[in-house]
Amino acid sequence: MTASATSRHAAHAAPLLPTGRLALWWFVASEIAIFGGALTCYVLLRARHPEWGEQARHTLAGAGALNTAVLLTSSLTAVLAHAAAHRGEARRAARLLALTVLGGLVFLGVKGFEYHHELTAGFTPRAGLFWAFYFLLTGLHALHVIAGMTANAVVAVGAAKGKHLGRVELVAIYWHFVDVVWIFLFPLLYLAS
Amino acid sequence: MRDEQTSSSDRHYLIVWALLMGALGVSLALGAAGHHGALVATIFAVAVAKAGLVLTHFMHLRLAPRLPRLILVGAVAVVVVLYLGLLPDITWVFGAPAGR
């Protein structure tokens, strides 16, 4: 093989980005389309329904703020897990991923408390369009939190055995995305009343 | 040397986390201050800033190759086009009262 053919072959053989990471970014992009579409509809309709502000006052802003802090902190543990995995510190990465999963559990617990409070007060998805959006957006987000927790737990088990440390970065990226979605949900649903 | 690198990178993430928590506090203070249009816009701007911190520092987008950034920009562009496309129908309904 000539020198130029060798270099062409090498260029085609080495991917610009690892396949798993590329696939994850495409997945995140598809999730942006889903959440972005739902949030866009909410924002547009919210502008035409100023009375939704009164409805939003019945959400528990304190619980929402606590959940924001919990998710931001779990994003910290996720990125620290990624850094530890990058350095080859498998057990530390596993412990930090376990803390990330714990953060998700706390988030879901607080969310469950909020749902119980709102549903027993009569604010169900049928109570009005605001509440339909509220339960759609937060429920969809909660499902993503559960999926993220599951992925983090599976990778944590592997990392504890020193296996597949490259996956820590992937689950951490997904978890940060779940956090970014909540960063927008919190002010739109709780604060902009 | 390895311990110095570890503490340096971890310290960086802790600083970003502290900034995020501070931004959360600012959002809460603004939310309690009232509900004028300018305040709501500021709250949303703070949310965008927080998202930017997570994207660039936690998701390492600033260090990533161009392709992931293009993919995300493309997805956001789709949402923006959706918003602009629906805006005339939903928000500006000529002659019809709000809520109809």
Side-chain angles (χ1 to χ4, degrees):
Chain A
M1 192 184 279
T2 62
S4 59
T6 303
S7 63
R8 280 199 304 273
H9 173 75
H12 285 292
L16 291 172
L17 203 64
T19 308
R21 209 184 303 165
L22 180 61
L24 186 72
W25 284 116
W26 276 114
F27 177 65
V28 168
S30 72
E31 295 287 286
I32 288 174
I34 293 170
F35 278 103
L39 279 169
T40 295
C41 292
Y42 170 78
V43 167
L44 287 169
L45 287 170
R46 175 73 177 80
R48 290 222 357 116
H49 294 275
E51 72 276 11
W52 285 9
E54 194 52 43
Q55 296 291 314
R57 288 179 199 277
H58 296 285
T59 59
L60 297 176
L66 172 62
N67 264 350
T68 307
V70 165
L71 275 187
L72 289 175
T73 306
S74 70
S75 253
L76 171 66
T77 56
V79 74
L80 290 175
H82 173 203
H86 186 68
R87 292 189 299 264
E89 297 168 10
R91 296 183 87 89
R92 178 173 159 82
R95 280 197 300 269
L96 287 163
L97 281 182
L99 281 176
T100 306
V101 173
L102 181 63
L105 272 173
V106 171
F107 178 91
L108 290 175
V110 174
K111 200 72 219 138
F113 170 78
E114 285 184 77
Y115 278 178
H116 174 76
H117 168 83
E118 283 140 7
L119 291 171
T120 52
F123 299 115
T124 66
R126 288 183 162 200
L129 199 49
F130 168 78
W131 290 105
F133 267 109
Y134 171 83
F135 283 105
L136 167 70
L137 291 167
T138 58
L140 192 60
H141 180 262
L143 286 176
H144 282 75
V145 168
I146 292 169
M149 282 168 53
T150 306
N152 273 288
V154 168
V155 173
V157 168
K161 298 173 188 170
K163 292 180 183 174
H164 305 302
L165 287 183
R167 294 178 183 175
V168 176
E169 178 187 10
L170 301 182
V171 296
I173 289 174
Y174 177 79
W175 191 254
H176 297 315
F177 168 74
V178 168
D179 185 19
V180 167
V181 171
W182 184 257
I183 283 172
F184 287 104
L185 284 185
F186 172 59
L188 286 173
L189 294 174
Y190 292 83
L191 296 185
S193 61
Chain B
M1 177 80 163
R2 190 181 167 108
D3 285 341
E4 283 174 13
Q5 286 174 342
T6 301
S7 59
S8 172
S9 71
D10 288 0
R11 198 179 315 124
H12 168 78
Y13 296 130
L14 279 168
I15 290 171
V16 173
W17 173 80
L19 288 172
L20 288 167
M21 298 299 274
L24 172 61
V26 168
S27 298
L28 291 173
L30 290 172
H35 303 102
H36 313 293
L39 273 176
V40 171
T42 308
I43 289 170
F44 195 72
V46 170
V48 170
K50 284 188 330 200
L53 280 173
V54 173
L55 282 163
T56 54
H57 293 277
F58 283 0
M59 294 172 89
H60 303 116
L61 260 189
R62 65 191 172 103
L63 300 172
R66 200 166 30 163
L67 185 56
R69 283 181 272 167
L70 282 175
I71 290 170
L72 292 190
V73 165
V76 171
V78 165
V79 175
V80 169
V81 166
L82 173 69
Y83 176 83
L84 294 174
L86 290 174
L87 189 64
D89 283 340
I90 293 179
T91 307
W92 303 328
V93 179
F94 300 106
R100 260 184 75 178

